[in-house]
Amino acid sequence: MTGPTKNRIGIYPGTFDPITYGHLDLINRALALFDHLIVAVAINPAKVHLFKPEDRRDMILECLPLLEMDDVQRRVEVVVFSGLLAQLAVQRGATAILRGLRAVSDFEFEFQIALTNRALAPSVEAVFLMPNAKYTYLSSTIIKNVAQHGGDVTKFVPPIVVERLARRYAETRNSQG
Ligand code: ADP
């Protein structure tokens, strides 16, 4: 029996401070599973961010063409959100919340969050994806550390982000000095 194909919507939350090749690898993989992907940039007052949420969103948008897929701009939406992710997922009719697993160390925290989200939004599944092995060690935090000390981050983040990191740290240095 054939019926109308369900539009599968995935939601990929994170801080993306800033987006890395690891995040982009995950977005690429998610597009094989979902028709539409919502990348949700979290405003988390408990965390200190280097970039404003709108800047984090803009960097993601600017990096999407690197995925070299004709319809990437149509299928990926980037939103800034605060509040409950489970609520946003239900509001947007998401089939699943997507997260990345880099190492076993990610697992425990992700497991807790996934089960909490399931209690809040039982219709939304949790989907975990592993990046290409060469990106398993990448994290925005480590990249910021390297960039802050003038190290080369060109292997870890797209050129647009390399430039934004350099500019942002120059601003911080100027405002301090
Ligand atoms: P958060 O602060 O919510 O963990 P991040 O921006 O650090 O936000 O990460 C968002 C999601 O992307 C998380 O599920 C994280 O595990 C995943 N992720 C981050 N870096 C990588 C990477 N190098 N490879 C695969 N997944 C990653």
Side-chain angles (χ1 to χ4, degrees), residues 12-18 20-23 26 47 98-102 106 109-110 129-131 135-140:
Y12 178 31
T15 35
F16 304 101
D17 186 39
T20 71
Y21 281 132
H23 295 127
L26 241 68
K47 277 192 177 177
L98 174 83
R99 295 284 288 174
L101 283 183
R102 285 162 288 191
D106 278 342
F109 178 69
E110 294 297 339
L129 291 177
M130 286 170 293
Y135 300 135
T136 47
Y137 65 95
L138 281 190
S139 81
S140 301

Side-chain angles (χ1 to χ4, degrees), residues 2-8 35:
T2 52
T5 320
K6 193 164 180 273
N7 193 29
R8 302 235 165 240
D35 302 300

Side-chain angles (χ1 to χ4, degrees), residues 34 95-99 110-111 113-115 117-118 121-129:
F34 301 99
T95 318
I97 293 172
L98 174 83
R99 295 284 288 174
E110 294 297 339
F111 189 62
I113 299 270
L115 291 182
N117 282 333
R118 178 177 285 170
S123 64
V124 185
E125 282 301 331
V127 168
F128 296 98
L129 291 177

Side-chain angles (χ1 to χ4, degrees), residues 151-167:
D152 179 11
V153 291
T154 51
K155 287 203 183 91
F156 313 138
V157 292
I160 298 157
V161 180
V162 174
E163 198 192 299
R164 290 286 266 271
L165 278 165
R167 240 195 291 154

